[in-house]
Amino acid sequence: EVQVKDGELERLGNLRSEWAGYRKLLTEVGTRLQKAKADFKDDLLNSLADMRTREQELRADFLRSAPFDGEMHGEAPALIDEYRNQCAAVRKKEKEMAAGLKIFAIEAPPNKETATTEKELELLQVVWGMWDEWEGKMAGWKYGKFKEIDVTAIENDAAQVGKRLYKLSKEVKQWKVLDTLREKVEGMKKLMPLIMDLRNPAMRDRHWKGLMEEVRPPFDPHTPPCPHTYLSPHISARIPVPFPSSGGP
């Protein structure tokens, strides 16, 4: 016969109460786990609401302050970079929240605001790139010599930029920077007859003298930056096109 020790008998006697205590502990842990899960879900939903607010605020600020105006040329690159960084921060936060949303089978609402802002940032980058490209060409034309101006090249460049602006105008509306750039290009195209007249071999010193009296101040028509005088809109507007003296003897 096996002799059961008193300590083992005591533990056997306490088994029922130990089991009851264990089950109570499981119940308490389960309750705390459910509460923690509910709290986590609430925090997640609050974060989602905050994110939604942030997306709307970013969109509103972008529409209010982004470089849509030609007068914002100096600050355009920095603003574009800043809004790109803000959009990237939003996307990063979305990724961080994705795992938590998946746990509760919560589908994040579509972020149309940020998607639209990202698209328009790309378009702004294109527009301001065209602006810089055109200004670079203008600088070369303005400060060269009349005899060296390639009118055909200018006309071709203007036509290409005009086509690109037309395509962009279908995607965006009411961007002043587009209108300003278009005016610059059209203004240059309107100057072509004047440039052709001023390049006319029939131009004599008396013709240049009469022209200088019209536009002032005096200048040397044979050295740079002579063309710059005529490519200033407020001056070229005062010169008849075609210039009547250019065809004279």
Side-chain angles (χ1 to χ4, degrees), residues 89-106:
V90 169
R91 295 304 190 191
K92 180 180 179 182
K93 185 64 176 179
E94 287 177 340
K95 289 182 179 180
E96 292 174 351
M97 296 178 60
L101 294 174
K102 186 176 182 179
I103 291 174
F104 298 102
I106 298 174

Side-chain angles (χ1 to χ4, degrees), residues 35 39 76 79 102 123-124 168-169 193 218 221 237:
K35 184 178 185 305
D39 291 343
L79 282 172
K102 186 176 182 179
L123 291 174
L124 279 173
L168 283 170
S169 67

Side-chain angles (χ1 to χ4, degrees), residues 196-240:
M196 294 295 292
D197 278 346
L198 295 176
R199 284 162 49 93
N200 194 319
M203 286 287 286
R204 299 292 185 265
D205 287 342
R206 67 177 181 276
H207 301 145
W208 288 112
K209 183 178 179 180
L211 186 58
M212 284 187 280
E213 290 177 354
E214 176 67 25
V215 300
R216 293 192 182 276
F219 56 88
D220 183 349
H222 305 296
T223 60
C226 175
H228 180 263
T229 304
Y230 301 104
L231 299 185
S232 299
H234 69 283
I235 293 179
S236 61
R238 294 160 51 191
I239 305 176

Side-chain angles (χ1 to χ4, degrees), residues 124-145:
L124 279 173
Q125 186 73 50
V126 171
V127 172
W128 283 111
M130 292 172 59
W131 179 290
D132 289 339
E133 181 182 348
W134 182 257
E135 287 293 299
K137 291 180 181 296
M138 283 287 292
W141 299 329
K142 285 180 179 180
Y143 295 99
K145 298 179 181 180

Side-chain angles (χ1 to χ4, degrees), residues 178-192:
L178 279 178
D179 296 333
T180 303
L181 182 54
R182 186 181 296 107
E183 289 171 3
K184 286 176 175 285
V185 174
E186 291 301 319
M188 189 54 154
K189 290 167 66 175
K190 290 178 181 178
L191 283 174
M192 289 301 98

Side-chain angles (χ1 to χ4, degrees), residues 32-160:
R32 289 199 296 268
L33 182 60
Q34 289 300 319
K35 184 178 185 305
K37 188 176 180 180
D39 291 343
F40 177 60
K41 183 177 181 179
D42 289 341
D43 290 342
L44 193 62
L45 291 174
N46 289 334
S47 296
L48 192 60
D50 291 342
M51 175 61 66
R52 180 62 178 162
T53 299
R54 172 65 185 130
E55 293 164 358
Q56 294 171 340
E57 290 176 345
L58 173 57
R59 180 61 182 167
D61 182 64
F62 176 78
L63 291 175
R64 182 172 55 251
S65 304
F68 298 119
D69 195 307
E71 296 182 358
M72 302 177 73
H73 175 258
E75 54 192 315
L79 282 172
I80 290 174
D81 287 342
E82 173 61 24
Y83 283 115
R84 276 180 169 165
N85 290 337
Q86 293 188 47
C87 287
V90 169
R91 295 304 190 191
K92 180 180 179 182
K93 185 64 176 179
E94 287 177 340
K95 289 182 179 180
E96 292 174 351
M97 296 178 60
L101 294 174
K102 186 176 182 179
I103 291 174
F104 298 102
I106 298 174
E107 184 175 353
N111 184 357
K112 295 181 179 180
E113 289 86 355
T114 302
T116 302
T117 297
E118 289 169 333
K119 179 180 179 181
E120 290 179 351
L121 281 170
E122 293 299 324
L123 291 174
L124 279 173
Q125 186 73 50
V126 171
V127 172
W128 283 111
M130 292 172 59
W131 179 290
D132 289 339
E133 181 182 348
W134 182 257
E135 287 293 299
K137 291 180 181 296
M138 283 287 292
W141 299 329
K142 285 180 179 180
Y143 295 99
K145 298 179 181 180
F146 279 123
K147 293 181 180 180
E148 296 175 354
I149 294 179
D150 189 338
V151 176
T152 301
I154 294 176
E155 290 176 334
N156 290 338
D157 288 337
Q160 291 177 4

